[in-house]
Amino acid sequence: PSTSASLHPNRETVLKMANRPPSNFLSHAHEDQVETTTSYTYVNSKIELETLSRKLELETEVGVSMKFHDIRSYYGFACLLVLSTRNHIYVIDTLVLRHQISNTLRDFFQSTKILKVFHSAKRCIESLHRDFEIHVVHVFDICVAAKEMNIKVVSLRSLLTKTCNILQDESEIKLMEDSNRQSFRIDWRVRALVKEAIQFAVNDSKYLLKCFDALINRLIAFSEMKKKVCIDTKEEEEEEDIPEISYCGSSDEDEEDDDDDDRLDDVMDD
């Protein structure tokens, strides 16, 4: 049985937000085609982290991704936290700032006004909770949204190149493929990280908000379509359940009974 200690500390807030319709995400979507930012800042000091925290308060949606080390480790641990806004990307060194992240970024992750956009959020959310005791509120998971719309291939590359048509340039597609492939070979514990490694982390995060923008309108349309199908199906079922009632004249059975009575009267008269 669950105890009060095991419940999510933001349980009531999460339950209230869970009952909101998908259309509430529209306020976070941008229809205009803004150029994807490539500029980034490497954050590895307490002062820089506190400055970043104040900047994040002004944002309404932020893309979130992480880099882990899990070789010879059961759970693994976070090495980098990458936050992408509409105009800049911040790469946070979670090894150097391990003891500062919890207090400095907790308000950001628990804010109901700032949407946190992930691709496959499960591992990131578990890591934030386990490594930094941070509970995340107000999340949009691109992977879950794509599955909800019955999209079969939900990898970020497939969504960007085929589903959302964000990446069309062959050089950009190749750069992303190389980043994904090389990311698994990098030891993210090593400090100082080479510039190429940091760029790989940036490439994984910089398209999150554009992918969100492209998916949200499709998700709302899909949700409305499902709602309409449910209503139509319910109306059809109700029509099938209505019995046929004759309000004018008698039914066929009543007419047959009257014929039988007439024949009986004829026999009796004879």
Side-chain angles (χ1 to χ4, degrees):
S2 299
T3 62
S4 58
S6 64
L7 293 176
H8 194 293
N10 303 96
R11 183 171 182 270
E12 293 301 322
T13 302
V14 172
L15 289 176
K16 287 180 182 178
M17 299 190 74
N19 292 326
R20 294 181 182 178
S23 57
N24 284 290
F25 287 118
L26 275 177
S27 60
H28 296 281
H30 286 205
E31 294 184 4
D32 53 327
Q33 298 297 319
V34 181
E35 283 294 322
T36 303
T37 181
T38 56
S39 60
Y40 70 87
T41 300
Y42 189 75
V43 179
N44 63 350
S45 72
K46 183 179 179 181
I47 295 176
E48 290 174 330
L49 187 65
E50 290 173 348
T51 301
L52 170 59
S53 177
R54 290 190 292 270
K55 290 180 179 179
L56 292 174
E57 293 174 1
L58 305 176
E59 301 293 335
T60 55
E61 57 278 339
V62 177
V64 183
S65 66
M66 302 181 75
K67 292 299 179 185
F68 306 91
H69 178 81
D70 52 12
I71 299 175
R72 302 186 185 91
S73 172
Y74 185 76
Y75 290 114
F77 52 87
C79 298
L80 288 180
L81 171 63
V82 186
L83 304 179
S84 54
T85 67
R86 293 287 180 182
N87 50 28
H88 203 71
I89 297 174
Y90 301 92
V91 182
I92 304 170
D93 191 329
T94 56
L95 296 182
V96 174
L97 298 173
R98 188 174 187 83
H99 300 293
Q100 285 77 38
I101 286 177
S102 179
N103 292 329
T104 309
L105 295 182
R106 179 177 284 111
D107 289 344
F108 159 71
F109 279 108
Q110 294 184 352
S111 171
T112 58
K113 297 180 180 179
I114 307 172
L115 181 68
K116 276 68 71 175
V117 179
F118 295 81
H119 178 268
S120 192
K122 184 176 184 293
R123 190 180 185 190
C124 293
I125 289 177
E126 289 176 347
S127 175
L128 288 167
H129 180 210
R130 183 181 61 248
D131 297 340
F132 310 110
E133 297 182 349
I134 290 177
H135 296 272
V136 187
V137 175
H138 200 20
V139 170
F140 184 92
D141 191 331
I142 291 172
C143 188
V144 172
K147 289 179 179 178
E148 182 67 21
M149 291 185 286
N150 300 324
I151 297 174
K152 294 182 179 180
V153 183
V154 296
S155 66
L156 187 57
R157 178 191 178 281
S158 178
L159 291 174
L160 291 173
T161 56
K162 298 178 182 178
T163 307
C164 302
N165 294 322
I166 293 173
L167 285 184
Q168 297 297 320
D169 188 86
E170 289 296 329
S171 61
E172 290 185 351
I173 296 174
K174 186 177 185 304
L175 178 62
M176 186 169 190
E177 291 175 345
D178 291 342
S179 295
N180 291 337
R181 188 163 50 250
Q182 295 295 333
S183 290
F184 293 104
R185 303 176 183 176
I186 295 174
D187 187 344
W188 295 103
R189 299 171 301 173
V190 174
R191 296 296 183 271
L193 279 171
V194 297
K195 187 175 180 179
E196 186 182 33
I198 299 174
Q199 191 62 54
F200 289 155
V202 169
N203 291 340
D204 285 347
S205 181
K206 66 181 182 180
Y207 296 110
L208 288 176
L209 293 182
K210 289 199 74 171
C211 192
F212 163 75
D213 293 338
L215 279 181
I216 189 62
N217 287 310
R218 294 184 57 168
L219 181 63
I220 302 249
F222 184 82
S223 176
E224 292 299 324
M225 182 187 70
K226 284 182 66 177
K227 189 186 299 182
K228 185 177 184 304
V229 169
C230 290
I231 293 173
D232 292 343
T233 304
K234 185 178 180 181
E235 289 177 350
E236 290 176 4
E237 291 175 351
E238 289 176 351
E239 289 176 0
E240 291 175 358
D241 293 339
I242 297 175
E244 293 185 6
I245 301 174
S246 176
Y247 294 99
C248 300
S250 58
S251 66
D252 293 340
E253 292 181 356
D254 291 338
E255 291 177 357
E256 290 177 1
D257 291 341
D258 290 342
D259 292 341
D260 291 340
D261 290 341
D262 291 340
R263 284 195 292 271
L264 182 59
D265 289 339
D266 295 339
V267 171
M268 294 298 292
D269 291 341
D270 293 340

